[in-house]
Amino acid sequence: LEDRADPEYVKALDKRISSIKTEGDGATIEGYSGNPTGTFAIPSEIEGHTVKKIADNAFSGQSGIKKLILPDSLEEIGSFAFSGCTSLRTVNIGKNLRIIGDNAFSGCFYLKKIDFPDSLEKIGASSFEGCHRIGKLIIPSGCTSFGEDAFLSCTELIFICGEDRCF
C-alpha cells in the first residue's frame, strides 16, 4: 500500500500531531489535536522520521474518521489507538504491520472492511470487540498470537480463515 498522503496534507497533519516520540530515525505518534473527518491517511514520515508506531490512545474517540489509511512504514498499533472511532468503516493497513494492540479498534461499530497484511504476527485482546459489521477476515499464516476476546461481539463475523486453517 502506498502512502497516499500528499505533501500539503502531511504539512497540515504535522501541525495537529500534538506529540511524537522519536528514536533513531523512527517515530511514534502519541497524540493528535485535530478532529479529522472522512478519509484520514497517516503519513509514512513526520518531521524527517519514519512513522513506525501509533501509541496507545493516540486517536481514540475520533468519531469523524470514516476511512483510515495506514502507511507501509507502520509496524505497530498501540492499545486503544483507534477505539471509539464510531464512524470508521474501512481500514487500509500497510504491508509491514506486525502488531495490533489490545482494544486497538474496539467500539468501532461500523467497521466493515479491514485487510491484514502478511506481516501481521499478533492481534491483541479485544482488538475488534464490538465491531459488529465485520463479515469476513483473512488471517495471515504468520499471525500466531490472538488475545482473549479479540473478536468479541462481532455479530456479523461469519468466519476467520488463514491459508491453511479456519477458526
Side-chain angles (χ1 to χ4, degrees):
L1 177 71
E2 260 179 61
D3 180 7
R4 297 184 192 154
D6 66 56
E8 290 304 310
Y9 177 87
V10 172
K11 203 178 292 179
L13 179 64
D14 281 356
K15 293 176 185 172
R16 291 193 179 106
I17 300 292
S18 58
S19 177
I20 65 167
K21 177 182 175 185
T22 60
E23 188 173 317
D25 69 341
T28 298
I29 297 175
E30 294 186 324
Y32 185 78
S33 62
N35 189 19
T37 58
T39 298
F40 186 69
I42 303 287
S44 59
E45 189 176 288
I46 295 177
E47 298 177 6
H49 297 277
T50 302
V51 175
K52 293 187 177 185
K53 181 177 179 180
I54 306 294
D56 298 352
N57 300 298
F59 294 91
S60 182
Q62 293 286 353
S63 60
I65 301 172
K66 291 184 179 180
K67 181 177 183 179
L68 179 63
I69 301 171
L70 302 174
D72 286 343
S73 64
L74 192 67
E75 297 175 1
E76 183 175 349
I77 298 171
S79 297
F80 295 93
F82 296 98
S83 69
C85 291
T86 54
S87 297
L88 187 61
R89 289 166 169 68
T90 304
V91 178
N92 292 354
I93 297 178
K95 65 182 179 184
N96 293 306
L97 186 71
R98 296 180 308 105
I99 298 168
I100 297 174
D102 297 346
N103 296 92
F105 293 95
S106 63
C108 296
F109 307 118
Y110 293 102
L111 181 59
K112 189 172 187 169
K113 182 171 179 5
I114 186 164
D115 294 321
F116 298 127
D118 291 338
S119 59
L120 189 65
E121 299 169 4
K122 177 184 178 184
I123 298 174
S126 301
S127 291
F128 296 93
E129 181 178 343
C131 296
H132 306 295
R133 311 261 178 177
I134 295 175
K136 177 183 175 184
L137 292 173
I138 298 173
I139 306 296
S141 59
C143 185
T144 57
S145 178
F146 296 89
E148 186 174 343
D149 296 329
F151 301 100
L152 182 69
S153 298
C154 293
T155 54
E156 292 186 23
L157 186 60
I158 298 169
F159 58 90
I160 305 170
C161 284
E163 291 176 5
D164 56 355
R165 66 203 191 288
C166 283
F167 304 95

